[in-house]
């Protein structure tokens, strides 16, 4: 038997745990351009009335307002940059991002231990998983308290 790599793709996931709501996008690549498209969709289709869309994300180099300027005309990019507030998790602290917990659930329940040969198949599988999770009102039970944070992340807190 010979292993043949069929390629890679990228899944983006937006998760609003207090509303038990999530949305996913599957793209062929993970560049600034795809990130900018996902954020624009969040701003214009999911939260069109929001003054500010707060996005908690890791420190990946594609997660910046510069992505908007690479993908869109300056006026569109500026409009997005003014509406989006990025909240970055600490370096080596992506586990603080609740969407990472949801990604873990998605992998275990939806795509683990099998190869999906086409991006369209992966897209259908993830969309079905998202619909089921949203219908059941599934959320994350976050157990990391402020007291825990003060101990675990004490070097990030200023000392008085």
């Amino acid at each position: 038997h010979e292993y043949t790599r069929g390629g890679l793709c990228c899944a983006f996931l937006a998760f609003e745990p207090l509303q038990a709501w999530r949305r996913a996008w599957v793209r062929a690549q993970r560049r600034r351009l795809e990130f900018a498209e996902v954020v624009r969709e969040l701003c214009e289709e999911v939260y069109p009335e929001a003054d500010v869309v707060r996005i908690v994300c890791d420190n990946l180099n594609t997660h910046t307002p510069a992505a908007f300027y690479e993908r869109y005309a300056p006026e569109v990019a500026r409009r997005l940059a003014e509406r989006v507030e990025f909240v970055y998790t600490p370096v080596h602290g992506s586990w603080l991002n609740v969407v990472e917990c949801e990604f873990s659930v998605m992998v275990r329940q939806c795509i683990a231990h099998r190869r999906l040969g086409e991006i369209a198949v992966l897209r259908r599988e993830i969309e079905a998983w998202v619909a089921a999770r949203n219908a059941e009102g599934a959320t994350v039970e976050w157990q990391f308290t402020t007291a825990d944070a003060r101990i675990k992340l004490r070097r990030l807190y200023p000392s008085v």
Side-chain angles (χ1 to χ4, degrees):
H1 296 284
E2 184 176 321
Y3 170 74
T4 303
R5 182 175 177 170
L8 299 173
C9 64
C10 177
F12 292 92
L13 183 65
F15 181 43
E16 193 176 341
L18 297 178
Q19 298 298 318
W21 173 91
R22 77 248 332 118
R23 186 163 180 181
W25 298 261
V26 176
R27 299 287 192 262
Q29 294 181 291
R30 185 192 72 185
R31 300 173 301 175
R32 285 186 175 103
L33 303 177
E34 288 79 14
F35 178 73
E37 291 167 357
V38 166
V39 172
R40 183 176 183 181
E41 192 172 321
L42 277 174
C43 289
E44 295 180 355
E45 295 179 22
V46 179
Y47 302 107
E49 303 299 320
D51 292 330
V52 175
V53 176
R54 191 167 293 117
I55 298 176
V56 178
C57 53
D58 57 17
N59 290 284
L60 191 63
N61 65 344
T62 59
H63 297 162
T64 68
F68 308 146
Y69 290 91
E70 284 188 33
R71 174 63 182 91
Y72 299 111
E75 56 278 354
V76 173
R78 181 176 171 86
R79 188 176 70 239
L80 287 170
E82 289 175 345
R83 280 191 66 204
V84 175
E85 178 185 327
F86 289 99
V87 179
Y88 296 103
T89 57
V91 176
H92 307 298
S94 64
W95 56 272
L96 291 168
N97 188 343
V98 178
V99 79
E100 297 289 344
C101 298
E102 196 65 5
F103 261 122
S104 176
V105 173
M106 180 184 73
V107 168
R108 286 191 318 265
Q109 292 181 351
C110 182
I111 56 178
H113 308 297
R114 61 191 175 131
R115 295 193 185 271
L116 302 172
E118 298 177 11
I119 193 169
V121 174
L122 177 63
R123 187 173 286 122
R124 280 195 308 272
E125 293 284 327
I126 289 178
E127 286 172 358
W129 175 83
V130 164
R133 292 282 287 172
N134 285 341
E136 72 185 49
T139 191
V140 170
E141 265 192 57
W142 189 247
Q143 298 178 11
F144 192 69
T145 66
T146 302
D148 294 335
R150 293 193 187 285
I151 294 167
K152 181 84 173 170
L153 306 171
R154 68 181 170 270
R155 70 181 189 286
L156 300 176
Y157 288 92
S159 59
V160 180

